[in-house]
Amino acid sequence: MRSGPVTLLLSAFLCATGCSDSGGEGETGGAGATSGTAGTTGGTGGATGVTSGVTSGTGGATGVTSGVTSGTGGATSVASGSGGAGGGTGGAGGAEARVPAASASTMREAGEKANPPILIGAAISGSGLNDNGYKSVAAAEHNYVTAENEMKWNAVEPNAGQFSWGAADNIVNWAVSNRMQVKGHTLVWHNQLPGWASSLSGAAQVEQAMRRHIEGVMGHFKDRVHTWDVVNEAVLTDSDTGVGNPRMRPSVFFNALGEGFLDLAFEIAREQDPTAKLYYNDYSIDALNEKADFVYEMVKGMVERGVPIDGVGFQMHIGPPNNEAGGADVAANLRRFSDLGLEVLISEMDINRCSNQVTAEEQLAYYHDIVEACFQLPKCVGITFWGINDGRSWLNGWSGALCNGQSSQSLLFTDQYQKKETYNKVLDALLGR
Ligand code: XIL
């Protein structure tokens, strides 16, 4: 619930900026209004700009910050006087507001018909693809695929310099044949490394192995995979919930190369594919907590140094062992990252009900409100769920998830591939309901 003060502060700041401008640029606000037609609420700020001329600026600017608050911003600017320049910006905000489909019977259809479209993804496992029920729900409901394990370092390069593509190709080719996009997951990560890579040491050895791995994997999938998690989970806190002493995580990469391994990984990836979307991905950075703040500063530094990063993935594992995050906090957090000029996406969403730390009601509210937070932000380009059916969820057997042999009940489909109430909440949010 911290977004209230954040929005207010931002409005005050924008007003202060806009209000000091002369009123002569009021027409800029008019341009904003025209382009704002695509966004119902965001456009309102710009429209106010046209009507009230000189007083329009701040209203428009607030439209950028949040479509919902833009109307109020317009009113504020009337009270506070002149400032036309912001009006144009507000119009742009309106133009970019995502418009939901009028109707859709699947999440995939809702995502494809939204304007701009939003990708609806699932983590897909090789074993799942042996199950016809799984396969048909996966392809009917999603148009975006992340291999759950099959593209990780231990799977594709089990021996130094010897690549093994079978399991990964199987998933990627299935995705392509179903007109689904693929996100490559993941190039540089401390986990699921083969033994030989974990025991590397010294800057030269580690850099050489990292370069060969990134080039080998991206090169193999170049025609089929255009978005990559280049670095995964480089930041650590005392608690997995994202609280306590945020710092760079010790790993074979960090230990040998220092924080510079991040920049280097992205630069190698960019050399390998000049047009791919390159992402940083992490967990428990979903809300406004210490880890999210640390990652925000880290990524901001990368942007300022010109490191070729295109986006940030927010894993959105909600419930034990990770953080909980309400819709308003997620919205504010996604927005500040996208204000750095980056794409954002929800990359691994599930909501763990084990040990009842998240109640059934809370789970439904989280699913709706978090999906809505992404949907309302045009630069939030996709939402991937970490699996299809509850019985296959990784959380069921993950230490720290507190499941003790029970189902995490964390996803959108039952084991018979029936839609759960969680599915209905997600579809509602994708349709603007
Ligand atoms: C998980 C898989 O779902 C499990 O099957 C595997 O045993 C461990 O990894 N963050 C990530 C994912 O980036 O790759 C992880 O996937 C879940 C947490």
Side-chain angles (χ1 to χ4, degrees):
M1 301 306 121
R2 271 167 282 178
S3 70
V6 168
T7 309
L8 282 176
L9 268 176
L10 214 39
S11 305
F13 168 75
L14 289 167
C15 178
T17 316
C19 292
S20 66
D21 283 341
S22 75
E25 292 161 30
E27 277 178 28
T28 319
T34 315
S35 57
T37 46
T40 331
T41 335
T44 312
T48 311
V50 178
T51 327
S52 48
V54 164
T55 58
S56 66
T58 310
T62 313
V64 172
T65 313
S66 158
V68 178
T69 55
S70 62
T72 319
T76 310
S77 73
V78 172
S80 53
S82 63
T89 326
E96 288 176 10
R98 181 175 273 120
V99 181
S103 66
S105 51
T106 62
M107 299 189 294
R108 178 175 182 155
E109 186 187 1
E112 287 173 351
K113 284 188 176 166
N115 183 19
I118 183 167
L119 292 163
I120 307 297
I124 296 296
S125 68
S127 64
L129 292 185
N130 296 325
D131 173 342
N132 284 332
Y134 176 103
K135 257 202 307 205
S136 64
V137 167
E141 294 285 350
H142 310 86
N143 57 3
Y144 200 33
V145 167
T146 305
E148 186 169 0
N149 289 297
E150 291 77 355
M151 291 172 86
K152 292 173 182 173
W153 195 314
N154 60 0
V156 291
E157 196 186 358
N159 300 301
Q162 289 177 12
F163 292 95
S164 165
W165 306 119
D169 274 344
N170 196 31
I171 291 181
V172 172
N173 292 341
W174 173 81
V176 170
S177 69
N178 284 286
R179 297 176 298 104
M180 304 160 96
Q181 290 187 44
V182 178
K183 178 144 72 71
H185 175 80
T186 174
L187 295 169
V188 178
W189 187 29
H190 67 282
N191 245 339
Q192 293 180 267
L193 283 174
W196 68 266
S198 315
S199 53
L200 293 172
S201 64
Q205 244 192 19
V206 172
E207 178 175 343
Q208 191 223 15
M210 192 169 89
R211 183 177 293 278
R212 179 178 58 198
H213 185 76
I214 294 173
E215 290 177 355
V217 179
M218 287 183 74
H220 179 77
F221 293 105
K222 199 165 192 169
D223 55 339
R224 293 168 290 167
V225 178
H226 309 289
T227 303
W228 289 92
D229 286 334
V230 177
V231 176
N232 195 29
E233 303 180 351
V235 173
L236 188 63
T237 47
D238 291 343
S239 157
D240 275 343
T241 59
V243 175
N245 189 23
R247 58 202 182 271
M248 296 304 295
R249 178 194 296 274
S251 70
V252 62
F253 309 104
F254 177 75
N255 297 349
L257 299 167
E259 196 169 338
F261 91 86
L262 269 171
D263 293 12
L264 185 61
F266 279 84
E267 277 152 14
I268 295 169
R270 174 57 73 232
E271 280 165 30
Q272 177 60 35
D273 188 340
T275 59
K277 297 281 188 191
L278 306 179
Y279 271 74
Y280 177 77
N281 193 54
D282 214 332
Y283 65 88
S284 291
I285 57 167
D286 312 309
L288 299 167
N289 61 21
E290 287 176 80
K291 186 174 179 182
D293 290 348
F294 186 91
V295 169
Y296 175 79
E297 292 301 331
M298 182 185 88
V299 166
K300 183 162 173 274
M302 293 170 78
V303 170
E304 285 167 359
R305 288 193 298 280
V307 176
I309 179 171
D310 299 297
V312 177
F314 300 79
Q315 291 187 8
M316 212 61 71
H317 294 295
I318 302 294
N322 298 132
N323 66 181
E324 291 188 34
D329 268 9
V330 172
N333 193 41
L334 295 179
R335 200 179 306 127
R336 68 170 165 164
F337 279 85
S338 77
D339 284 346
L340 294 173
L342 298 170
E343 287 183 357
V344 294
L345 59 75
I346 293 177
S347 56
E348 306 187 8
M349 188 169 190
D350 49 25
I351 304 183
N352 183 11
R353 293 236 30 245
C354 283
S355 81
N356 212 35
Q357 281 196 17
V358 176
T359 66
E361 292 71 28
E362 284 168 342
Q363 188 193 43
L364 294 177
Y366 281 156
Y367 259 122
H368 179 273
D369 296 354
I370 291 171
V371 168
E372 180 180 62
C374 173
F375 188 85
Q376 288 182 342
L377 186 70
K379 290 191 80 172
C380 192
V381 298
I383 301 168
T384 289
F385 302 97
W386 205 243
I388 303 285
N389 58 309
D390 286 346
R392 289 180 191 275
S393 165
W394 72 297
L395 290 164
N396 301 344
W398 190 252
S399 65
L402 310 177
C403 290
N404 301 318
Q406 305 292 304
S407 165
S408 60
Q409 303 172 66
S410 55
L411 291 164
L412 309 185
F413 297 91
T414 67
D415 293 342
Q416 289 71 45
Y417 304 106
Q418 302 299 307
K419 296 168 182 174
K420 294 170 52 185
E421 196 53 34
T422 47
Y423 174 96
N424 297 330
K425 292 293 176 195
V426 169
L427 188 62
D428 279 351
L430 294 174
L431 289 171
R433 301 191 293 229

